[in-house]
Amino acid sequence: MFRKSELNVINWLIEKQLRTFVYLKKPVNNLEIGYIQDIKISIKDSKKKSNKEKSEKSNNISMKNIFGEDIKIPYNSLEVLLFQFNTAIIQKKSETSLFSKLGYLIVRKFKPEKIFYLTKKI
């Protein structure tokens, strides 16, 4: 659930203070736009199933939205983080729609420098 590379990108966003579009896993009002201020994740608690509720409450991202309001977003409710920079979009491959996968394949064919897949080797 908590990959070191995801945390590195989020910490980089905090350091650079880039405007970030945060899409949440809810059908309505699922977009927050702003600047990530802090991330609090307890990796040890998230691995234990008995502390699942406790870790869900303590694992969050603090963000200042474009209106200047401070917002806390639960880490497990994040769907996609987008930011305008020549870097990356983090998205779970298993939760990507069929049309998005098809679009990525087309872009990868014509502009391979735009799409980069990380694959897990077993």
Side-chain angles (χ1 to χ4, degrees), residues 2 8 11 14 21 24-26 29 32 40 52 54-55 70 79 82 93-94 97-98 104 115 118:
F2 299 105
N8 289 340
N11 285 324
I14 293 168
F21 294 76
L24 306 174
K25 292 180 184 177
K26 59 182 187 176
N29 297 331
E32 291 290 344
K40 292 183 182 171
K52 188 174 181 181
K54 183 180 176 185
S55 67
D70 292 324
E79 180 75 26
L82 295 175
K93 191 173 180 181
S94 62
S97 71
L98 181 62
Y104 293 150
I115 299 290
L118 292 177

PDB file of all heavy atoms in Angstrom, residues 2 8 11 14 21 24-26 29 32 40 52 54-55 70 79 82 93-94 97-98 104 115 118:
ATOM      1  N   PHE A   2       1.862   1.268   0.825  1.00  0.00           N
ATOM      2  CA  PHE A   2       2.722   2.448   0.900  1.00  0.00           C
ATOM      3  C   PHE A   2       4.035   2.138   0.218  1.00  0.00           C
ATOM      4  O   PHE A   2       4.867   1.424   0.734  1.00  0.00           O
ATOM      5  CB  PHE A   2       2.965   2.834   2.360  1.00  0.00           C
ATOM      6  CG  PHE A   2       1.709   3.185   3.077  1.00  0.00           C
ATOM      7  CD1 PHE A   2       1.147   2.329   3.984  1.00  0.00           C
ATOM      8  CD2 PHE A   2       1.071   4.376   2.825  1.00  0.00           C
ATOM      9  CE1 PHE A   2      -0.008   2.651   4.637  1.00  0.00           C
ATOM     10  CE2 PHE A   2      -0.089   4.718   3.475  1.00  0.00           C
ATOM     11  CZ  PHE A   2      -0.632   3.848   4.388  1.00  0.00           C
ATOM     12  N   ASN A   8       8.258   9.518  -1.918  1.00  0.00           N
ATOM     13  CA  ASN A   8       9.302  10.406  -2.454  1.00  0.00           C
ATOM     14  C   ASN A   8       8.708  11.491  -3.345  1.00  0.00           C
ATOM     15  O   ASN A   8       9.103  12.646  -3.276  1.00  0.00           O
ATOM     16  CB  ASN A   8      10.356   9.609  -3.228  1.00  0.00           C
ATOM     17  CG  ASN A   8      11.235   8.779  -2.328  1.00  0.00           C
ATOM     18  OD1 ASN A   8      11.339   9.038  -1.137  1.00  0.00           O
ATOM     19  ND2 ASN A   8      11.863   7.779  -2.896  1.00  0.00           N
ATOM     20  N   ASN A  11       6.755  13.960  -1.104  1.00  0.00           N
ATOM     21  CA  ASN A  11       7.704  14.825  -0.391  1.00  0.00           C
ATOM     22  C   ASN A  11       8.343  15.843  -1.336  1.00  0.00           C
ATOM     23  O   ASN A  11       8.592  16.983  -0.955  1.00  0.00           O
ATOM     24  CB  ASN A  11       8.774  13.995   0.314  1.00  0.00           C
ATOM     25  CG  ASN A  11       8.243  13.324   1.551  1.00  0.00           C
ATOM     26  OD1 ASN A  11       7.413  13.876   2.261  1.00  0.00           O
ATOM     27  ND2 ASN A  11       8.709  12.116   1.810  1.00  0.00           N
ATOM     28  N   ILE A  14       5.915  18.611  -1.802  1.00  0.00           N
ATOM     29  CA  ILE A  14       5.930  19.488  -0.629  1.00  0.00           C
ATOM     30  C   ILE A  14       7.114  20.446  -0.722  1.00  0.00           C
ATOM     31  O   ILE A  14       6.982  21.652  -0.488  1.00  0.00           O
ATOM     32  CB  ILE A  14       5.998  18.657   0.673  1.00  0.00           C
ATOM     33  CG1 ILE A  14       4.702  17.874   0.865  1.00  0.00           C
ATOM     34  CG2 ILE A  14       6.276  19.547   1.882  1.00  0.00           C
ATOM     35  CD1 ILE A  14       4.771  16.824   1.948  1.00  0.00           C
ATOM     36  N   PHE A  21      -3.309  18.761  -8.360  1.00  0.00           N
ATOM     37  CA  PHE A  21      -4.705  18.384  -8.499  1.00  0.00           C
ATOM     38  C   PHE A  21      -4.857  17.015  -7.850  1.00  0.00           C
ATOM     39  O   PHE A  21      -4.240  16.048  -8.295  1.00  0.00           O
ATOM     40  CB  PHE A  21      -5.098  18.315  -9.981  1.00  0.00           C
ATOM     41  CG  PHE A  21      -5.053  19.645 -10.677  1.00  0.00           C
ATOM     42  CD1 PHE A  21      -3.839  20.212 -11.053  1.00  0.00           C
ATOM     43  CD2 PHE A  21      -6.220  20.323 -10.940  1.00  0.00           C
ATOM     44  CE1 PHE A  21      -3.793  21.440 -11.699  1.00  0.00           C
ATOM     45  CE2 PHE A  21      -6.183  21.560 -11.591  1.00  0.00           C
ATOM     46  CZ  PHE A  21      -4.973  22.114 -11.964  1.00  0.00           C
ATOM     47  N   LEU A  24     -10.054  12.327  -5.656  1.00  0.00           N
ATOM     48  CA  LEU A  24     -10.407  11.418  -4.578  1.00  0.00           C
ATOM     49  C   LEU A  24     -11.298  10.301  -5.093  1.00  0.00           C
ATOM     50  O   LEU A  24     -11.921  10.416  -6.140  1.00  0.00           O
ATOM     51  CB  LEU A  24     -11.119  12.188  -3.462  1.00  0.00           C
ATOM     52  CG  LEU A  24     -10.358  13.393  -2.924  1.00  0.00           C
ATOM     53  CD1 LEU A  24     -11.219  14.162  -1.944  1.00  0.00           C
ATOM     54  CD2 LEU A  24      -9.062  12.965  -2.278  1.00  0.00           C
ATOM     55  N   LYS A  25     -11.389   9.227  -4.305  1.00  0.00           N
ATOM     56  CA  LYS A  25     -12.188   8.059  -4.681  1.00  0.00           C
ATOM     57  C   LYS A  25     -13.650   8.233  -4.273  1.00  0.00           C
ATOM     58  O   LYS A  25     -14.243   7.325  -3.723  1.00  0.00           O
ATOM     59  CB  LYS A  25     -11.646   6.813  -3.993  1.00  0.00           C
ATOM     60  CG  LYS A  25     -10.299   6.378  -4.455  1.00  0.00           C
ATOM     61  CD  LYS A  25      -9.878   5.140  -3.703  1.00  0.00           C
ATOM     62  CE  LYS A  25      -8.483   4.738  -4.072  1.00  0.00           C
ATOM     63  NZ  LYS A  25      -8.022   3.596  -3.310  1.00  0.00           N
ATOM     64  N   LYS A  26     -14.223   9.360  -4.531  1.00  0.00           N
ATOM     65  CA  LYS A  26     -15.641   9.551  -4.260  1.00  0.00           C
ATOM     66  C   LYS A  26     -16.289  10.148  -5.505  1.00  0.00           C
ATOM     67  O   LYS A  26     -15.641  10.871  -6.261  1.00  0.00           O
ATOM     68  CB  LYS A  26     -15.872  10.400  -3.016  1.00  0.00           C
ATOM     69  CG  LYS A  26     -15.272  11.778  -3.033  1.00  0.00           C
ATOM     70  CD  LYS A  26     -15.537  12.475  -1.704  1.00  0.00           C
ATOM     71  CE  LYS A  26     -15.097  13.915  -1.783  1.00  0.00           C
ATOM     72  NZ  LYS A  26     -15.401  14.660  -0.593  1.00  0.00           N
ATOM     73  N   ASN A  29     -17.699  15.841  -5.852  1.00  0.00           N
ATOM     74  CA  ASN A  29     -16.703  16.722  -5.229  1.00  0.00           C
ATOM     75  C   ASN A  29     -15.388  15.979  -4.997  1.00  0.00           C
ATOM     76  O   ASN A  29     -14.834  15.990  -3.901  1.00  0.00           O
ATOM     77  CB  ASN A  29     -17.214  17.297  -3.908  1.00  0.00           C
ATOM     78  CG  ASN A  29     -18.426  18.168  -4.103  1.00  0.00           C
ATOM     79  OD1 ASN A  29     -18.603  18.780  -5.151  1.00  0.00           O
ATOM     80  ND2 ASN A  29     -19.270  18.223  -3.100  1.00  0.00           N
ATOM     81  N   GLU A  32      -9.616  18.290  -5.464  1.00  0.00           N
ATOM     82  CA  GLU A  32      -9.064  19.363  -4.634  1.00  0.00           C
ATOM     83  C   GLU A  32      -7.845  19.911  -5.363  1.00  0.00           C
ATOM     84  O   GLU A  32      -7.024  19.138  -5.861  1.00  0.00           O
ATOM     85  CB  GLU A  32      -8.644  18.848  -3.255  1.00  0.00           C
ATOM     86  CG  GLU A  32      -9.782  18.430  -2.371  1.00  0.00           C
ATOM     87  CD  GLU A  32     -10.628  19.591  -1.869  1.00  0.00           C
ATOM     88  OE1 GLU A  32     -10.176  20.743  -1.947  1.00  0.00           O
ATOM     89  OE2 GLU A  32     -11.750  19.338  -1.428  1.00  0.00           O
ATOM     90  N   LYS A  40       1.425  12.619   6.686  1.00  0.00           N
ATOM     91  CA  LYS A  40       1.604  11.828   7.904  1.00  0.00           C
ATOM     92  C   LYS A  40       1.145  10.414   7.608  1.00  0.00           C
ATOM     93  O   LYS A  40      -0.043  10.170   7.415  1.00  0.00           O
ATOM     94  CB  LYS A  40       0.811  12.423   9.061  1.00  0.00           C
ATOM     95  CG  LYS A  40       1.355  13.755   9.496  1.00  0.00           C
ATOM     96  CD  LYS A  40       0.626  14.287  10.678  1.00  0.00           C
ATOM     97  CE  LYS A  40       1.236  15.654  10.999  1.00  0.00           C
ATOM     98  NZ  LYS A  40       0.493  16.373  12.000  1.00  0.00           N
ATOM     99  N   LYS A  52      -6.221  -1.164  11.738  1.00  0.00           N
ATOM    100  CA  LYS A  52      -6.618  -0.586  10.459  1.00  0.00           C
ATOM    101  C   LYS A  52      -7.354   0.747  10.638  1.00  0.00           C
ATOM    102  O   LYS A  52      -7.062   1.708   9.952  1.00  0.00           O
ATOM    103  CB  LYS A  52      -7.501  -1.573   9.690  1.00  0.00           C
ATOM    104  CG  LYS A  52      -7.780  -1.125   8.278  1.00  0.00           C
ATOM    105  CD  LYS A  52      -8.517  -2.188   7.528  1.00  0.00           C
ATOM    106  CE  LYS A  52      -8.751  -1.717   6.101  1.00  0.00           C
ATOM    107  NZ  LYS A  52      -9.469  -2.692   5.328  1.00  0.00           N
ATOM    108  N   LYS A  54      -7.249   2.822  13.201  1.00  0.00           N
ATOM    109  CA  LYS A  54      -6.317   3.812  13.753  1.00  0.00           C
ATOM    110  C   LYS A  54      -5.417   4.367  12.646  1.00  0.00           C
ATOM    111  O   LYS A  54      -5.184   5.564  12.568  1.00  0.00           O
ATOM    112  CB  LYS A  54      -5.483   3.181  14.855  1.00  0.00           C
ATOM    113  CG  LYS A  54      -4.546   4.146  15.540  1.00  0.00           C
ATOM    114  CD  LYS A  54      -3.771   3.438  16.622  1.00  0.00           C
ATOM    115  CE  LYS A  54      -2.763   4.382  17.253  1.00  0.00           C
ATOM    116  NZ  LYS A  54      -1.920   3.702  18.213  1.00  0.00           N
ATOM    117  N   SER A  55      -4.913   3.481  11.780  1.00  0.00           N
ATOM    118  CA  SER A  55      -4.014   3.935  10.713  1.00  0.00           C
ATOM    119  C   SER A  55      -4.754   4.762   9.669  1.00  0.00           C
ATOM    120  O   SER A  55      -4.194   5.674   9.094  1.00  0.00           O
ATOM    121  CB  SER A  55      -3.311   2.752  10.054  1.00  0.00           C
ATOM    122  OG  SER A  55      -4.227   1.954   9.355  1.00  0.00           O
ATOM    123  N   ASP A  70      -7.076  25.178   4.869  1.00  0.00           N
ATOM    124  CA  ASP A  70      -6.300  23.981   5.185  1.00  0.00           C
ATOM    125  C   ASP A  70      -7.232  22.779   5.159  1.00  0.00           C
ATOM    126  O   ASP A  70      -8.304  22.795   5.764  1.00  0.00           O
ATOM    127  CB  ASP A  70      -5.645  24.105   6.563  1.00  0.00           C
ATOM    128  CG  ASP A  70      -4.560  25.161   6.575  1.00  0.00           C
ATOM    129  OD1 ASP A  70      -3.855  25.290   5.555  1.00  0.00           O
ATOM    130  OD2 ASP A  70      -4.411  25.851   7.601  1.00  0.00           O
ATOM    131  N   GLU A  79      -7.069   9.002  -5.313  1.00  0.00           N
ATOM    132  CA  GLU A  79      -7.175   8.262  -6.573  1.00  0.00           C
ATOM    133  C   GLU A  79      -5.989   8.607  -7.466  1.00  0.00           C
ATOM    134  O   GLU A  79      -5.257   7.727  -7.899  1.00  0.00           O
ATOM    135  CB  GLU A  79      -8.489   8.638  -7.279  1.00  0.00           C
ATOM    136  CG  GLU A  79      -8.723   7.934  -8.591  1.00  0.00           C
ATOM    137  CD  GLU A  79      -9.125   6.483  -8.417  1.00  0.00           C
ATOM    138  OE1 GLU A  79      -9.688   6.137  -7.380  1.00  0.00           O
ATOM    139  OE2 GLU A  79      -8.850   5.696  -9.330  1.00  0.00           O
ATOM    140  N   LEU A  82      -2.136  14.844  -9.801  1.00  0.00           N
ATOM    141  CA  LEU A  82      -1.652  15.432 -11.048  1.00  0.00           C
ATOM    142  C   LEU A  82      -0.980  16.763 -10.733  1.00  0.00           C
ATOM    143  O   LEU A  82      -1.451  17.515  -9.887  1.00  0.00           O
ATOM    144  CB  LEU A  82      -2.812  15.698 -12.013  1.00  0.00           C
ATOM    145  CG  LEU A  82      -3.576  14.503 -12.544  1.00  0.00           C
ATOM    146  CD1 LEU A  82      -4.760  14.966 -13.368  1.00  0.00           C
ATOM    147  CD2 LEU A  82      -2.679  13.639 -13.384  1.00  0.00           C
ATOM    148  N   LYS A  93      -2.287   0.607 -11.617  1.00  0.00           N
ATOM    149  CA  LYS A  93      -2.553  -0.009 -12.909  1.00  0.00           C
ATOM    150  C   LYS A  93      -3.822  -0.863 -12.855  1.00  0.00           C
ATOM    151  O   LYS A  93      -4.589  -0.909 -13.805  1.00  0.00           O
ATOM    152  CB  LYS A  93      -1.352  -0.862 -13.317  1.00  0.00           C
ATOM    153  CG  LYS A  93      -1.398  -1.344 -14.734  1.00  0.00           C
ATOM    154  CD  LYS A  93      -0.115  -2.033 -15.103  1.00  0.00           C
ATOM    155  CE  LYS A  93      -0.143  -2.538 -16.523  1.00  0.00           C
ATOM    156  NZ  LYS A  93       1.077  -3.232 -16.872  1.00  0.00           N
ATOM    157  N   SER A  94      -4.064  -1.511 -11.703  1.00  0.00           N
ATOM    158  CA  SER A  94      -5.236  -2.376 -11.577  1.00  0.00           C
ATOM    159  C   SER A  94      -6.541  -1.593 -11.568  1.00  0.00           C
ATOM    160  O   SER A  94      -7.589  -2.127 -11.888  1.00  0.00           O
ATOM    161  CB  SER A  94      -5.132  -3.207 -10.295  1.00  0.00           C
ATOM    162  OG  SER A  94      -5.106  -2.354  -9.164  1.00  0.00           O
ATOM    163  N   SER A  97      -8.997   2.338 -16.058  1.00  0.00           N
ATOM    164  CA  SER A  97     -10.062   1.866 -16.935  1.00  0.00           C
ATOM    165  C   SER A  97      -9.484   1.323 -18.243  1.00  0.00           C
ATOM    166  O   SER A  97      -8.354   1.641 -18.627  1.00  0.00           O
ATOM    167  CB  SER A  97     -11.049   2.987 -17.239  1.00  0.00           C
ATOM    168  OG  SER A  97     -10.455   3.935 -18.091  1.00  0.00           O
ATOM    169  N   LEU A  98     -10.273   0.542 -18.930  1.00  0.00           N
ATOM    170  CA  LEU A  98      -9.859  -0.056 -20.197  1.00  0.00           C
ATOM    171  C   LEU A  98      -9.560   1.028 -21.231  1.00  0.00           C
ATOM    172  O   LEU A  98      -8.576   0.940 -21.970  1.00  0.00           O
ATOM    173  CB  LEU A  98     -10.950  -0.993 -20.717  1.00  0.00           C
ATOM    174  CG  LEU A  98     -10.664  -1.716 -22.021  1.00  0.00           C
ATOM    175  CD1 LEU A  98      -9.451  -2.620 -21.862  1.00  0.00           C
ATOM    176  CD2 LEU A  98     -11.860  -2.512 -22.463  1.00  0.00           C
ATOM    177  N   TYR A 104      -3.195   5.071 -23.189  1.00  0.00           N
ATOM    178  CA  TYR A 104      -1.779   5.025 -22.834  1.00  0.00           C
ATOM    179  C   TYR A 104      -0.973   4.238 -23.863  1.00  0.00           C
ATOM    180  O   TYR A 104       0.151   4.598 -24.196  1.00  0.00           O
ATOM    181  CB  TYR A 104      -1.578   4.413 -21.449  1.00  0.00           C
ATOM    182  CG  TYR A 104      -2.126   5.253 -20.317  1.00  0.00           C
ATOM    183  CD1 TYR A 104      -2.588   4.659 -19.159  1.00  0.00           C
ATOM    184  CD2 TYR A 104      -2.182   6.633 -20.395  1.00  0.00           C
ATOM    185  CE1 TYR A 104      -3.085   5.421 -18.112  1.00  0.00           C
ATOM    186  CE2 TYR A 104      -2.675   7.402 -19.359  1.00  0.00           C
ATOM    187  CZ  TYR A 104      -3.121   6.787 -18.224  1.00  0.00           C
ATOM    188  OH  TYR A 104      -3.611   7.542 -17.186  1.00  0.00           O
ATOM    189  N   ILE A 115       5.034   8.315 -21.754  1.00  0.00           N
ATOM    190  CA  ILE A 115       4.465   7.254 -20.924  1.00  0.00           C
ATOM    191  C   ILE A 115       5.586   6.358 -20.418  1.00  0.00           C
ATOM    192  O   ILE A 115       6.427   5.904 -21.178  1.00  0.00           O
ATOM    193  CB  ILE A 115       3.458   6.387 -21.725  1.00  0.00           C
ATOM    194  CG1 ILE A 115       2.305   7.232 -22.233  1.00  0.00           C
ATOM    195  CG2 ILE A 115       2.957   5.219 -20.906  1.00  0.00           C
ATOM    196  CD1 ILE A 115       1.363   7.716 -21.166  1.00  0.00           C
ATOM    197  N   LEU A 118       5.890   1.193 -14.767  1.00  0.00           N
ATOM    198  CA  LEU A 118       6.704   0.428 -13.831  1.00  0.00           C
ATOM    199  C   LEU A 118       6.052  -0.940 -13.710  1.00  0.00           C
ATOM    200  O   LEU A 118       4.879  -1.049 -13.401  1.00  0.00           O
ATOM    201  CB  LEU A 118       6.734   1.100 -12.453  1.00  0.00           C
ATOM    202  CG  LEU A 118       7.455   2.416 -12.383  1.00  0.00           C
ATOM    203  CD1 LEU A 118       7.341   2.994 -10.983  1.00  0.00           C
ATOM    204  CD2 LEU A 118       8.916   2.256 -12.738  1.00  0.00           C
TER     205      LEU A 118
END
